[in-house]
Amino acid sequence: MPNRIKKLAVLTSGGDSPGMNAAVRAVVRTCAYHGIECYGVYRGYEGMIDGDFQIMDARSVKGIINKGGTILKSARSKRFRTKEGREKAFQQVKEAGIEGLVVIGGDGSFTGAMIFNQEFDFPVMGIPGTIDNDIFGTSHTLGFDTALNTVVDAIDKIRDTASSHNRLFFIEVMGRDVGHIALNTGIAGGAEEILIPEEDLGLDRLVDSLNRSRTSGKTSSIVVVAEGDKIGKNIFELKEYVDQNLEDYDVRVSVLGHMQRGGAPSCFDRVLASRMGVKAVESLLEGKTTYMVGLLNNKMELTPLDNAIKGKTKINLELLRVSDIMST
């Protein structure tokens, strides 16, 4: 394996997701394995501009594989969106002798990495870290599996209350542009309906569906709603509409919010992060750049960053059909 690079850096950017720490650990220990110095960049691109670097070795990442969030912190950098900010960041990495960068984040973070590469011919590699699973070129992003488990656990608890009081619960989950979390957790949680941005169920059809559930003998219902669903302006408008058009339903709303991002990563996410970290570092050592590491057919594959940013993930049509059948 060519080994032209002697110093690498790793940063986490954008929204945090479970598994980021495990990925940082994998990057650092892969560098140690290959005799490469590794620097952690604190606060994402903001820290890169400020030269907030800390050398890391195999021992400095002990005990973090099971921790949520990111020990390197994360920040959204307005300065890095400017030419001046990126030039300052380049001078900082140049002065530190850093010759390559691993970016753990989402499409916004990858866009910054790609522009940085284009302007300064600086080697970069991306690892997809976002619970929404909305990055093209990988079947799973870091944190998606953990978020699913967190949401299902919450739905199970809410269903206990719904059943006890014969209530209808609207449960909002994350997914501004895609419904991967809602669709998967809705099926796993036994939801009567699942509302996602990709499928416009319509308010009248929703009421008809809930009426059928009541007629079939169901005394309580769960409706999982992706935050980007287009049926109503928001989940509270949905509640008001059902209140007005469906008699004898005690309707409640639960917005799970940022709790979905937290918590210890699942076994799947820990293994995925480890595989991605190794692949990212070794790809840079092989002279590759501006790629994202992804999981496709259970293999680590590289997707050009431009494709990962511009490509669109598709909802699983089989899961939609399964959802329709299970809600009968």
Side-chain angles (χ1 to χ4, degrees):
M1 177 182 293
N3 196 6
R4 296 177 288 108
I5 294 176
K6 299 299 180 185
K7 292 184 180 181
L8 287 178
V10 57
L11 62 80
T12 52
S13 176
D16 64 289
S17 64
M20 280 186 165
N21 280 329
V24 169
R25 173 181 180 269
V27 169
V28 172
R29 293 198 169 177
T30 305
C31 285
Y33 179 84
H34 288 287
I36 308 297
E37 282 190 20
C38 187
Y39 288 80
V41 182
Y42 287 84
R43 297 177 294 113
Y45 291 124
E46 276 292 285
M48 197 167 157
I49 294 171
D50 294 334
D52 194 359
F53 310 145
Q54 179 68 49
I55 193 165
M56 305 179 80
D57 59 22
R59 301 283 71 78
S60 65
V61 290
K62 67 178 182 179
I64 69 169
I65 192 172
N66 60 318
K67 296 186 182 302
T70 164
I71 63 167
L72 293 180
K73 310 298 182 183
S74 184
R76 303 186 189 277
S77 178
K78 291 183 179 179
R79 290 190 294 165
F80 196 77
R81 296 177 183 175
T82 67
K83 177 74 172 181
E84 295 75 19
R86 294 190 295 272
E87 285 178 345
K88 187 173 181 182
F90 178 67
Q91 289 303 317
Q92 294 283 16
V93 295
K94 187 176 179 181
E95 290 175 12
I98 296 168
E99 302 166 285
L101 177 67
V102 177
V103 175
I104 307 170
D107 55 1
S109 305
F110 292 163
T111 299
M114 189 171 67
I115 294 172
F116 191 69
N117 168 266
Q118 292 169 348
E119 291 178 343
F120 306 105
D121 193 27
F122 194 84
V124 297
M125 192 66 58
I127 293 177
T130 168
I131 68 168
D132 288 341
N133 206 41
D134 59 350
I135 303 293
F136 179 81
T138 184
S139 62
H140 291 74
T141 55
L142 288 183
F144 177 56
D145 184 72
T146 304
L148 294 183
N149 290 321
T150 298
V151 172
V152 168
D153 184 59
I155 291 174
D156 288 346
K157 290 179 170 61
I158 291 171
R159 185 174 286 283
D160 290 343
T161 292
S163 300
S164 298
H165 297 275
N166 295 339
R167 286 174 178 163
L168 162 63
F169 266 89
F170 284 109
I171 303 175
E172 183 183 275
V173 302
M174 284 187 170
R176 184 180 58 204
D177 301 310
V178 294
H180 298 300
I181 292 177
L183 182 55
N184 282 270
T185 59
I187 292 173
E192 278 65 41
E193 283 295 344
I194 303 169
L195 308 183
I196 57 177
E198 296 88 344
E199 294 285 316
D200 186 0
L201 181 64
L203 288 169
D204 292 337
R205 186 178 156 198
L206 172 63
V207 170
D208 288 343
S209 174
L210 292 172
N211 264 323
R212 286 195 302 272
S213 294
R214 172 61 66 87
T215 302
S216 69
K218 293 182 180 180
T219 58
S220 63
S221 291
I222 297 289
V223 178
V224 177
V225 185
E227 61 181 325
D229 176 67
K230 304 298 192 298
I231 291 183
K233 292 180 181 178
N234 55 56
I235 195 170
F236 297 100
E237 184 181 89
L238 285 177
K239 175 189 181 304
E240 291 177 8
Y241 188 87
V242 172
D243 277 336
Q244 295 168 6
N245 292 274
L246 205 58
E247 295 181 357
D248 302 324
Y249 248 130
D250 184 8
V251 187
R252 300 299 169 91
V253 169
S254 182
V255 178
L256 300 188
H258 285 78
M259 69 173 289
Q260 296 162 83
R261 282 190 181 173
S266 64
C267 176
F268 182 91
D269 276 328
R270 297 183 200 192
V271 174
L272 180 62
S274 300
R275 295 176 69 186
M276 286 181 166
V278 171
K279 182 69 173 179
V281 172
E282 293 189 341
S283 295
L284 283 170
L285 295 182
E286 291 169 357
K288 297 183 175 72
T289 184
T290 58
Y291 287 98
M292 181 198 76
V293 179
L295 180 68
L296 294 172
N297 299 317
N298 202 33
K299 293 182 179 179
M300 287 292 104
E301 303 287 356
L302 298 180
T303 296
L305 279 182
D306 190 44
N307 291 353
I309 295 164
K310 294 179 180 178
K312 300 295 183 182
T313 60
K314 295 181 179 179
I315 207 71
N316 189 321
L317 296 180
E318 181 195 0
L319 289 184
L320 280 177
R321 184 167 181 274
V322 169
S323 170
D324 288 341
I325 294 171
M326 290 300 101
S327 63
T328 301

